[in-house]
Amino acid sequence: MASGGVSVASLWTEVNRCGQNGDYTRALKALTKILHENRDDVTALHCKIVCLIQNGTFKEALNVMNTHSKLLGSDVVFEKAYCEYRLNRVESALKTIEAAPEQTDKLKELYGQVLYRLERYDDCKSVYTDLIRNSQDEYEEERKTNLAAVVASMSQWEDAPLEDLGLPESTYELCYNAACALIGQGQLTDAYNKLQQAEGQSRSDQNVFDSKKKVKLTNAEGVEYKLARKQLQAIDLNKALLAMYTNQADQCRKLSSSLQSQNPSHPRPVLIQVAQLCREKQHSRAIELLQQFSEQHPESASGIKLTMAQLYLVQGHVTKACDVLRSIEEFKHKSGMISALVTMYSHEEDIDSAIDVFKQAIEHYQSEQPGSVAHLALVREAANFKLKYGRKKEAISDLEQLWKQNPKDIHTLAQLISAYSLVNTDKAKSLSKHLPSADTMAFNVDVDELENSHGATYVRKKAAKVTGENLPKEQGQGEIKKKRKKKKGKLPKNCDPKATPDIERWLPMRERSYYRGKKKGKKKEQIGKGTQGATAGASAELDASKTASSPPTSPRPGSASGSTTAPASNVVPPRQQKPAASGATRKKAPQKKKKGGKGGW
């Protein structure tokens, strides 16, 4: 009986039940009571170690194993190596595994993980290959995933040739590892397709904030022990980029500066800082930072200078961008670089600099790869460029070189003769002798047959042959078709056919000799001027000066003989007219108050 009146058997039942339910904390309490009764119970000690590992207390589990090492012996080799591995004591874990009396399958699994952490990829590959070949259980897919990760690491970090191990791509982990292996081999298009496939298998759409949540998972305890150094650096770079995209400028600078201090020659932390400066519109400061890094680390200056050129182009400094590009010795004579430089110099109308780029590139290939396809193609492009911009004299040497390589090239010979015609006519005449004659250049083609073919877009009409039946009839024989008379044009309605037409009728009115401009019409009566309410008619009738000076009119028939006064007018003088009251000044009639007060009833 254990202390408290509980039997040891019931305690083991409790341990078994808690182990099945995953409640390892309660199982530890029961095991502690069992060990209190019997400190040397090997099974109880072993179970306690397993419960401590499941709870993540690896140091305490390792202390238990070291304390009871004589009693436990080799029964807990796997547990001891696993605790050392999780505590990042990788070398100690390797020694523990190699000193084990028997290499079990679970010990080999751990051995592969330890070798991968130590970046011994060849040995790790052999371990996983042997495990996959000699075991069949539910962990087969996980082993294949680990093997694919080993192959990807060898391809990326050791430049090892890609070996086809027949691994499937049924899960996103396997597909992702296959894409990483292709990246290491430089097969970027295939790798991109694999990554898209893995992305479709792993998740749906997400945004930056979802990424921010997932990045927090990398801050969990013990994650740094599961990843290689380069993987940890990649995670830190992603954290800095995420800080930049979420507008956390200070955090981005802090993370990128920390990465740069850890690996000063790595260009990516500097590029992240430059990207942050560009988001803040500080392009000049970004260019200074790039220039400083390229001077301190010339071995990594190629990508940095390409970024500098891009920033110069964004600011509109094309010539400065060209100078930076021409300073990259690694890409100086590449066809893509030559094409970019010639295009930019042509945009700036700096033809001399563009020709100088061609000249240096041709000299390089002349010394390194004379007569190669790239060399001759470059000479051809240089000649065409010079001819395009009227530099025929400068194109002569290039054309001569091309013609010597291929004397049967008639097109090049014609260009050479055209260029020499401006410099040396005698030379042009001597070269023209090499041109083929007109007879040899003519093609044996039946023109009529070609024009009558189905593919011809234009067919020349031929005159029909005159036969005896279709001979033209003599005059008087048969009907003679009359020619149609042209209809006379219609004249305007007001046109006088006898009148002489105006000679200047086709000229605009302003350009005719008799044009005198538009006549200014009399001013219209302006309504509203004068005294208020007065009108033009009323003012004329009420003008006293006119009535006084005018002679008396004779009496009209039917009127009184002695009457000399004007008939009475109904017009009211303006001063006697009362202005109409406006709506604003009109008084409103007082409204009667409603009875009943405010109630309305």
Side-chain angles (χ1 to χ4, degrees), residues 38-115:
N38 185 4
R39 296 182 59 185
D40 297 333
D41 192 337
V42 177
T43 306
L45 288 173
H46 199 171
C47 291
K48 182 177 181 180
I49 293 169
V50 172
C51 290
L52 291 172
I53 291 175
Q54 291 291 345
N55 285 340
T57 54
F58 303 109
K59 288 184 179 180
E60 188 175 351
L62 194 60
N63 291 333
V64 172
M65 286 183 278
N66 292 331
T67 303
H68 303 277
S69 59
K70 293 182 180 180
L71 183 63
L72 295 172
S74 61
D75 294 338
V76 290
V77 173
F78 173 78
E79 288 77 5
K80 181 180 180 182
Y82 183 77
C83 290
E84 292 172 340
Y85 170 77
R86 293 299 303 270
L87 292 172
N88 203 29
R89 303 174 187 177
V90 187
E91 296 290 345
S92 299
L94 180 63
K95 293 179 181 179
T96 302
I97 295 171
E98 291 177 346
E102 182 184 0
Q103 294 293 324
T104 60
D105 287 345
K106 63 179 182 180
L107 206 56
K108 288 181 181 179
E109 298 274 4
L110 182 58
Y111 185 44
Q113 294 288 341
V114 171
L115 292 174

Coordinates of all heavy atoms in Angstrom, one line a residue, residues 38-115:
N38 N 9.0 3.1 -4.0 CA 10.1 2.3 -4.5 C 11.0 3.2 -5.4 O 10.6 3.5 -6.6 CB 9.6 1.1 -5.3 CG 10.7 0.2 -5.7 OD1 11.9 0.4 -5.4 ND2 10.4 -0.9 -6.4
R39 N 12.0 3.8 -4.9 CA 12.9 4.7 -5.7 C 13.6 4.0 -6.8 O 14.0 4.7 -7.8 CB 13.9 5.3 -4.7 CG 13.3 6.2 -3.6 CD 14.4 6.8 -2.8 NE 15.2 7.6 -3.6 CZ 16.3 8.3 -3.1 NH1 16.7 8.1 -1.8 NH2 17.1 9.0 -3.9
D40 N 13.7 2.7 -6.8 CA 14.5 2.0 -7.8 C 13.6 1.3 -8.9 O 14.0 0.4 -9.6 CB 15.4 1.0 -7.2 CG 16.5 1.6 -6.3 OD1 16.8 2.8 -6.6 OD2 16.9 1.0 -5.3
D41 N 12.4 1.8 -8.9 CA 11.4 1.2 -9.9 C 11.8 1.7 -11.3 O 11.6 2.9 -11.6 CB 10.0 1.6 -9.6 CG 9.0 0.8 -10.4 OD1 9.4 0.3 -11.5 OD2 7.8 0.7 -9.9
V42 N 12.4 0.9 -12.1 CA 12.9 1.3 -13.4 C 11.8 1.7 -14.3 O 11.9 2.8 -15.1 CB 13.7 0.2 -14.1 CG1 14.2 0.6 -15.5 CG2 14.9 -0.2 -13.2
T43 N 10.7 1.0 -14.3 CA 9.5 1.3 -15.2 C 9.0 2.7 -14.8 O 8.6 3.5 -15.7 CB 8.5 0.3 -15.1 OG1 9.0 -1.0 -15.3 CG2 7.3 0.5 -16.0
A44 N 8.9 3.0 -13.5 CA 8.3 4.3 -13.0 C 9.3 5.4 -13.5 O 8.8 6.5 -13.9 CB 8.1 4.3 -11.5
L45 N 10.6 5.2 -13.3 CA 11.5 6.2 -13.8 C 11.5 6.4 -15.3 O 11.5 7.6 -15.7 CB 13.0 5.8 -13.4 CG 13.3 5.8 -11.9 CD1 14.7 5.2 -11.7 CD2 13.3 7.2 -11.4
H46 N 11.3 5.4 -16.0 CA 11.2 5.5 -17.5 C 9.9 6.3 -17.8 O 10.0 7.2 -18.7 CB 11.2 4.1 -18.1 CG 11.6 4.2 -19.6 ND1 11.8 3.1 -20.3 CD2 11.7 5.2 -20.5 CE1 12.1 3.4 -21.6 NE2 12.0 4.7 -21.7
C47 N 8.8 6.0 -17.2 CA 7.6 6.7 -17.5 C 7.7 8.1 -17.1 O 7.1 9.0 -17.7 CB 6.4 6.0 -16.7 SG 6.0 4.4 -17.4
K48 N 8.4 8.4 -16.0 CA 8.5 9.8 -15.5 C 9.3 10.6 -16.6 O 9.0 11.8 -16.9 CB 9.2 9.8 -14.2 CG 9.4 11.2 -13.6 CD 10.0 11.2 -12.2 CE 10.2 12.6 -11.7 NZ 10.8 12.6 -10.3
I49 N 10.4 10.0 -17.1 CA 11.2 10.7 -18.1 C 10.3 11.0 -19.4 O 10.4 12.1 -19.9 CB 12.4 9.8 -18.5 CG1 13.3 9.7 -17.3 CG2 13.1 10.4 -19.7 CD1 14.4 8.7 -17.5
V50 N 9.5 10.0 -19.8 CA 8.6 10.3 -20.9 C 7.6 11.4 -20.7 O 7.4 12.3 -21.5 CB 7.9 9.0 -21.3 CG1 6.8 9.2 -22.4 CG2 8.9 7.9 -21.8
C51 N 7.0 11.4 -19.5 CA 6.1 12.5 -19.1 C 6.8 13.9 -19.1 O 6.2 14.9 -19.6 CB 5.4 12.2 -17.8 SG 4.3 10.8 -17.8
L52 N 8.0 13.9 -18.6 CA 8.7 15.2 -18.6 C 9.0 15.7 -20.0 O 8.9 16.9 -20.3 CB 10.0 15.0 -17.8 CG 9.8 14.8 -16.3 CD1 11.2 14.5 -15.6 CD2 9.2 16.1 -15.6
I53 N 9.4 14.7 -20.9 CA 9.6 15.1 -22.3 C 8.4 15.6 -23.0 O 8.4 16.6 -23.7 CB 10.2 13.9 -23.1 CG1 11.6 13.6 -22.5 CG2 10.3 14.1 -24.6 CD1 12.3 12.3 -23.1
Q54 N 7.2 14.9 -22.7 CA 6.0 15.3 -23.3 C 5.6 16.7 -22.9 O 4.9 17.5 -23.6 CB 4.9 14.3 -23.0 CG 5.0 13.0 -23.6 CD 4.8 13.0 -25.1 OE1 4.3 14.0 -25.7 NE2 5.3 12.0 -25.8
N55 N 5.9 17.1 -21.6 CA 5.6 18.4 -21.1 C 6.6 19.5 -21.5 O 6.5 20.7 -21.2 CB 5.5 18.4 -19.6 CG 4.2 17.8 -19.1 OD1 3.2 17.7 -19.9 ND2 4.2 17.3 -17.9
G56 N 7.7 19.0 -22.2 CA 8.7 20.0 -22.7 C 9.8 20.4 -21.7 O 10.6 21.3 -22.0
T57 N 9.8 19.7 -20.6 CA 10.9 20.0 -19.6 C 12.0 19.0 -19.8 O 12.2 18.0 -19.1 CB 10.3 19.8 -18.1 OG1 9.7 18.5 -18.1 CG2 9.2 20.8 -17.9
F58 N 12.8 19.4 -20.8 CA 13.9 18.5 -21.2 C 15.1 18.5 -20.2 O 15.7 17.4 -20.0 CB 14.4 18.9 -22.6 CG 13.3 18.9 -23.7 CD1 12.9 20.1 -24.2 CD2 12.8 17.8 -24.1 CE1 11.9 20.2 -25.1 CE2 11.8 17.8 -25.1 CZ 11.3 19.0 -25.6
K59 N 15.4 19.6 -19.6 CA 16.5 19.6 -18.7 C 16.2 18.8 -17.5 O 17.1 18.0 -17.0 CB 16.7 21.1 -18.2 CG 17.3 22.0 -19.3 CD 17.6 23.4 -18.7 CE 18.3 24.2 -19.7 NZ 18.6 25.6 -19.2
E60 N 15.0 18.8 -16.9 CA 14.6 18.0 -15.8 C 14.7 16.5 -16.2 O 15.1 15.7 -15.4 CB 13.2 18.4 -15.3 CG 12.8 17.7 -14.0 CD 11.5 18.2 -13.5 OE1 10.9 19.2 -14.0 OE2 11.0 17.5 -12.5
A61 N 14.2 16.2 -17.4 CA 14.3 14.8 -17.8 C 15.7 14.3 -17.9 O 16.0 13.2 -17.5 CB 13.6 14.6 -19.2
L62 N 16.6 15.2 -18.4 CA 18.0 14.8 -18.6 C 18.6 14.6 -17.2 O 19.5 13.8 -17.0 CB 18.7 15.9 -19.4 CG 20.1 15.5 -19.9 CD1 20.0 14.3 -20.8 CD2 20.7 16.7 -20.7
N63 N 18.2 15.5 -16.2 CA 18.8 15.3 -14.9 C 18.4 14.0 -14.2 O 19.1 13.3 -13.6 CB 18.3 16.5 -14.0 CG 18.9 17.8 -14.4 OD1 20.0 17.8 -15.0 ND2 18.2 18.9 -14.1
V64 N 17.1 13.6 -14.5 CA 16.7 12.3 -14.0 C 17.5 11.2 -14.5 O 17.9 10.2 -13.9 CB 15.2 12.1 -14.2 CG1 14.7 10.7 -13.9 CG2 14.3 13.1 -13.5
M65 N 17.7 11.2 -15.9 CA 18.5 10.2 -16.5 C 20.0 10.1 -16.0 O 20.6 9.1 -15.8 CB 18.5 10.4 -18.0 CG 17.1 10.0 -18.6 SD 17.1 10.1 -20.4 CE 16.8 11.9 -20.6
N66 N 20.5 11.3 -15.8 CA 21.9 11.4 -15.3 C 22.0 10.9 -13.9 O 23.0 10.3 -13.5 CB 22.5 12.8 -15.5 CG 22.7 13.2 -16.9 OD1 22.9 12.4 -17.8 ND2 22.6 14.5 -17.2
T67 N 21.0 11.2 -13.1 CA 21.0 10.8 -11.7 C 20.9 9.2 -11.6 O 21.6 8.6 -10.7 CB 19.9 11.4 -10.9 OG1 20.0 12.9 -11.1 CG2 19.9 11.1 -9.5
H68 N 20.1 8.6 -12.4 CA 19.9 7.2 -12.3 C 20.5 6.5 -13.5 O 19.9 5.5 -14.1 CB 18.4 6.9 -12.2 CG 17.7 7.6 -11.1 ND1 17.7 7.0 -9.8 CD2 17.0 8.7 -11.0 CE1 17.0 7.8 -9.0 NE2 16.6 8.8 -9.7
S69 N 21.6 6.9 -14.0 CA 22.3 6.4 -15.2 C 22.6 4.9 -15.0 O 22.5 4.1 -15.9 CB 23.5 7.2 -15.6 OG 24.4 7.2 -14.5
K70 N 23.1 4.6 -13.8 CA 23.5 3.2 -13.6 C 22.3 2.2 -13.5 O 22.4 1.1 -14.0 CB 24.3 3.1 -12.3 CG 25.6 3.8 -12.3 CD 26.4 3.6 -10.9 CE 27.7 4.3 -10.9 NZ 28.4 4.1 -9.6
L71 N 21.3 2.8 -13.0 CA 20.1 1.9 -12.9 C 19.4 1.8 -14.2 O 18.9 0.7 -14.6 CB 19.1 2.5 -11.8 CG 17.8 1.8 -11.5 CD1 18.2 0.4 -10.9 CD2 16.9 2.6 -10.6
L72 N 19.3 2.9 -15.0 CA 18.6 2.8 -16.3 C 19.4 2.2 -17.4 O 18.9 1.5 -18.2 CB 18.2 4.3 -16.7 CG 17.1 4.9 -15.7 CD1 17.0 6.4 -16.1 CD2 15.8 4.2 -15.8
G73 N 20.7 2.5 -17.4 CA 21.6 1.9 -18.4 C 21.3 2.4 -19.8 O 21.1 3.6 -20.0
S74 N 21.2 1.4 -20.7 CA 21.0 1.8 -22.1 C 19.5 1.8 -22.5 O 19.2 1.9 -23.7 CB 21.8 0.8 -23.0 OG 21.3 -0.6 -22.8
D75 N 18.7 1.6 -21.5 CA 17.2 1.6 -21.9 C 16.7 3.0 -22.3 O 15.6 3.1 -22.9 CB 16.4 1.1 -20.6 CG 16.7 -0.3 -20.3 OD1 17.2 -1.0 -21.2 OD2 16.5 -0.7 -19.2
V76 N 17.4 4.1 -21.9 CA 16.9 5.4 -22.2 C 17.9 6.2 -23.1 O 18.0 7.4 -23.0 CB 16.7 6.2 -20.9 CG1 15.5 5.6 -20.1 CG2 17.9 6.2 -20.0
V77 N 18.6 5.4 -24.0 CA 19.5 6.1 -24.9 C 18.8 7.1 -25.9 O 19.2 8.2 -26.1 CB 20.3 5.0 -25.7 CG1 21.2 5.7 -26.8 CG2 21.2 4.2 -24.8
F78 N 17.7 6.6 -26.4 CA 16.9 7.4 -27.3 C 16.4 8.7 -26.6 O 16.5 9.8 -27.1 CB 15.7 6.7 -27.9 CG 14.8 7.5 -28.7 CD1 15.1 7.9 -30.0 CD2 13.6 8.0 -28.2 CE1 14.3 8.7 -30.8 CE2 12.8 8.8 -28.9 CZ 13.1 9.1 -30.2
E79 N 15.9 8.5 -25.4 CA 15.3 9.7 -24.6 C 16.4 10.7 -24.3 O 16.2 11.9 -24.4 CB 14.6 9.2 -23.4 CG 13.3 8.5 -23.6 CD 13.4 7.1 -24.1 OE1 14.6 6.6 -24.1 OE2 12.4 6.5 -24.3
K80 N 17.6 10.2 -23.9 CA 18.7 11.0 -23.6 C 19.2 11.8 -24.8 O 19.4 13.0 -24.8 CB 19.9 10.2 -23.0 CG 21.1 11.1 -22.6 CD 22.2 10.2 -22.0 CE 23.4 11.1 -21.6 NZ 24.5 10.3 -21.1
A81 N 19.4 11.1 -26.0 CA 19.8 11.8 -27.2 C 18.8 12.8 -27.7 O 19.1 13.9 -28.1 CB 20.1 10.8 -28.3
Y82 N 17.5 12.5 -27.5 CA 16.4 13.4 -27.9 C 16.4 14.7 -27.1 O 16.3 15.8 -27.6 CB 15.1 12.7 -27.8 CG 13.9 13.6 -28.3 CD1 13.7 13.8 -29.7 CD2 13.1 14.2 -27.4 CE1 12.7 14.6 -30.1 CE2 12.0 15.0 -27.9 CZ 11.8 15.2 -29.2 OH 10.8 16.0 -29.7
C83 N 16.6 14.5 -25.7 CA 16.7 15.7 -24.9 C 17.9 16.6 -25.2 O 17.8 17.8 -25.3 CB 16.7 15.3 -23.4 SG 15.2 14.6 -22.8
E84 N 19.0 16.0 -25.5 CA 20.2 16.7 -25.9 C 20.0 17.5 -27.2 O 20.4 18.6 -27.4 CB 21.4 15.8 -26.0 CG 21.8 15.3 -24.6 CD 22.9 14.2 -24.7 OE1 23.0 13.6 -25.8 OE2 23.6 13.9 -23.7
Y85 N 19.3 16.8 -28.1 CA 19.0 17.4 -29.4 C 18.0 18.6 -29.3 O 18.2 19.7 -29.9 CB 18.3 16.3 -30.3 CG 17.8 16.9 -31.6 CD1 18.6 17.2 -32.7 CD2 16.4 17.0 -31.8 CE1 18.0 17.7 -33.9 CE2 15.8 17.5 -33.0 CZ 16.7 17.8 -34.0 OH 16.1 18.3 -35.2
R86 N 17.0 18.5 -28.4 CA 16.1 19.6 -28.2 C 16.7 20.7 -27.4 O 16.2 21.8 -27.6 CB 14.8 19.0 -27.5 CG 14.0 18.1 -28.3 CD 13.5 18.7 -29.6 NE 12.7 19.9 -29.3 CZ 11.4 19.9 -29.1 NH1 10.7 18.8 -29.2 NH2 10.7 21.0 -28.9
L87 N 17.7 20.4 -26.6 CA 18.4 21.5 -25.9 C 19.5 22.1 -26.7 O 20.3 22.8 -26.2 CB 18.9 20.9 -24.6 CG 17.9 20.5 -23.5 CD1 18.6 19.8 -22.4 CD2 17.2 21.8 -23.1
N88 N 19.6 21.7 -28.1 CA 20.6 22.2 -29.0 C 22.0 21.8 -28.6 O 23.0 22.4 -29.0 CB 20.5 23.7 -29.1 CG 21.1 24.3 -30.4 OD1 21.0 23.6 -31.4 ND2 21.7 25.5 -30.4
R89 N 22.1 20.7 -27.9 CA 23.4 20.1 -27.7 C 23.6 19.0 -28.7 O 23.6 17.8 -28.5 CB 23.5 19.5 -26.3 CG 23.2 20.5 -25.2 CD 23.1 19.8 -23.8 NE 22.6 20.8 -22.8 CZ 22.4 20.5 -21.5 NH1 22.6 19.2 -21.1 NH2 22.0 21.4 -20.6
V90 N 23.8 19.4 -30.0 CA 23.8 18.5 -31.1 C 25.0 17.6 -31.1 O 24.8 16.4 -31.4 CB 23.7 19.3 -32.4 CG1 23.5 18.4 -33.6 CG2 22.6 20.4 -32.4
E91 N 26.1 18.1 -30.8 CA 27.3 17.2 -30.7 C 27.2 16.2 -29.7 O 27.6 15.0 -29.9 CB 28.6 18.1 -30.5 CG 28.9 19.1 -31.6 CD 29.4 18.4 -32.8 OE1 29.7 17.2 -32.8 OE2 29.4 19.1 -33.9
S92 N 26.6 16.5 -28.5 CA 26.4 15.5 -27.4 C 25.4 14.4 -27.9 O 25.6 13.2 -27.6 CB 25.9 16.2 -26.2 OG 26.9 17.1 -25.7
A93 N 24.4 14.9 -28.6 CA 23.4 13.9 -29.1 C 24.0 13.0 -30.1 O 23.7 11.8 -30.1 CB 22.2 14.7 -29.7
L94 N 24.9 13.5 -30.9 CA 25.5 12.6 -31.9 C 26.4 11.6 -31.2 O 26.4 10.4 -31.6 CB 26.4 13.5 -32.8 CG 27.2 12.7 -33.9 CD1 26.2 12.1 -34.9 CD2 28.1 13.7 -34.7
K95 N 27.1 12.0 -30.2 CA 28.0 11.0 -29.5 C 27.1 10.0 -28.8 O 27.4 8.8 -28.7 CB 28.8 11.7 -28.4 CG 29.9 12.6 -29.1 CD 30.7 13.3 -28.0 CE 31.7 14.3 -28.6 NZ 32.5 15.0 -27.6
T96 N 26.0 10.4 -28.2 CA 25.1 9.4 -27.5 C 24.5 8.4 -28.5 O 24.4 7.2 -28.1 CB 23.9 10.2 -26.8 OG1 24.5 11.2 -25.9 CG2 23.0 9.3 -26.1
I97 N 24.2 8.9 -29.7 CA 23.6 7.9 -30.7 C 24.7 7.0 -31.2 O 24.4 5.8 -31.3 CB 23.0 8.7 -31.8 CG1 21.8 9.5 -31.3 CG2 22.5 7.8 -33.0 CD1 21.2 10.5 -32.3
E98 N 25.8 7.5 -31.5 CA 26.9 6.6 -32.0 C 27.4 5.6 -31.0 O 27.9 4.6 -31.3 CB 28.0 7.5 -32.5 CG 27.7 8.3 -33.8 CD 28.8 9.2 -34.2 OE1 29.7 9.4 -33.4 OE2 28.8 9.7 -35.4
A99 N 27.2 6.0 -29.7 CA 27.7 5.0 -28.6 C 26.6 4.0 -28.2 O 26.9 3.2 -27.3 CB 28.1 5.8 -27.4
A100 N 25.5 4.1 -28.8 CA 24.4 3.1 -28.5 C 24.7 1.7 -28.9 O 25.3 1.5 -30.0 CB 23.1 3.6 -29.1
P101 N 24.4 0.7 -28.1 CA 24.8 -0.7 -28.5 C 24.0 -1.2 -29.7 O 24.4 -2.1 -30.4 CB 24.4 -1.4 -27.2 CG 23.4 -0.6 -26.5 CD 23.7 0.8 -26.8
E102 N 22.8 -0.6 -29.9 CA 21.9 -1.1 -31.0 C 21.3 0.1 -31.7 O 20.8 1.0 -31.0 CB 20.9 -2.1 -30.5 CG 20.0 -2.6 -31.6 CD 18.9 -3.5 -31.0 OE1 18.8 -3.7 -29.8 OE2 18.1 -4.0 -31.8
Q103 N 21.3 0.1 -33.0 CA 20.7 1.2 -33.8 C 19.3 0.8 -34.2 O 19.0 0.2 -35.2 CB 21.6 1.5 -35.0 CG 22.9 2.0 -34.7 CD 22.9 3.4 -34.1 OE1 22.1 4.3 -34.4 NE2 23.9 3.7 -33.2
T104 N 18.3 1.2 -33.3 CA 16.9 1.0 -33.6 C 16.4 2.0 -34.7 O 17.1 3.0 -35.0 CB 16.1 1.1 -32.4 OG1 16.2 2.4 -31.8 CG2 16.6 0.1 -31.3
D105 N 15.2 1.7 -35.2 CA 14.6 2.6 -36.2 C 14.4 4.0 -35.7 O 14.7 5.0 -36.4 CB 13.3 2.0 -36.7 CG 13.5 0.8 -37.6 OD1 14.7 0.6 -38.0 OD2 12.5 0.1 -37.8
K106 N 13.9 4.1 -34.4 CA 13.6 5.5 -33.9 C 14.9 6.2 -33.6 O 15.0 7.4 -33.7 CB 12.8 5.4 -32.6 CG 13.4 4.6 -31.5 CD 12.4 4.6 -30.3 CE 13.0 3.9 -29.1 NZ 12.1 3.9 -27.9
L107 N 16.0 5.4 -33.3 CA 17.3 6.0 -33.1 C 17.9 6.5 -34.4 O 18.5 7.6 -34.5 CB 18.2 5.1 -32.4 CG 19.4 5.7 -31.6 CD1 18.8 6.6 -30.5 CD2 20.2 4.6 -30.9
K108 N 17.6 5.8 -35.5 CA 18.1 6.2 -36.8 C 17.3 7.5 -37.3 O 17.9 8.3 -37.9 CB 17.8 5.1 -37.8 CG 18.8 3.9 -37.7 CD 18.5 2.8 -38.7 CE 19.4 1.6 -38.6 NZ 19.1 0.6 -39.6
E109 N 16.0 7.5 -37.0 CA 15.3 8.7 -37.3 C 15.9 10.0 -36.6 O 16.1 11.0 -37.3 CB 13.8 8.6 -36.8 CG 13.1 7.4 -37.5 CD 12.4 7.8 -38.8 OE1 12.6 9.0 -39.2 OE2 11.7 7.0 -39.4
L110 N 16.2 9.8 -35.4 CA 16.8 10.9 -34.6 C 18.2 11.2 -35.2 O 18.7 12.4 -35.3 CB 16.9 10.6 -33.1 CG 17.5 11.7 -32.2 CD1 16.7 13.0 -32.3 CD2 17.5 11.2 -30.8
Y111 N 18.9 10.1 -35.6 CA 20.3 10.3 -36.1 C 20.2 11.1 -37.4 O 21.1 12.0 -37.6 CB 20.9 8.9 -36.4 CG 22.3 8.9 -36.9 CD1 23.3 9.7 -36.3 CD2 22.7 8.1 -37.9 CE1 24.6 9.7 -36.7 CE2 24.0 8.0 -38.3 CZ 25.0 8.8 -37.7 OH 26.3 8.8 -38.2
G112 N 19.2 10.9 -38.2 CA 19.1 11.7 -39.5 C 18.8 13.2 -39.1 O 19.4 14.1 -39.8
Q113 N 18.0 13.4 -38.1 CA 17.7 14.8 -37.7 C 19.0 15.5 -37.2 O 19.3 16.7 -37.5 CB 16.7 14.8 -36.6 CG 15.3 14.4 -37.1 CD 14.6 15.4 -38.0 OE1 15.0 16.6 -38.0 NE2 13.6 14.9 -38.8
V114 N 19.8 14.8 -36.5 CA 21.0 15.4 -35.9 C 22.0 15.7 -37.1 O 22.7 16.7 -37.1 CB 21.7 14.4 -34.9 CG1 23.1 14.8 -34.5 CG2 20.8 14.3 -33.7
L115 N 22.1 14.7 -38.0 CA 23.0 15.0 -39.1 C 22.6 16.2 -40.0 O 23.4 16.9 -40.5 CB 23.1 13.7 -40.0 CG 23.8 12.5 -39.4 CD1 23.7 11.3 -40.3 CD2 25.3 12.8 -39.1

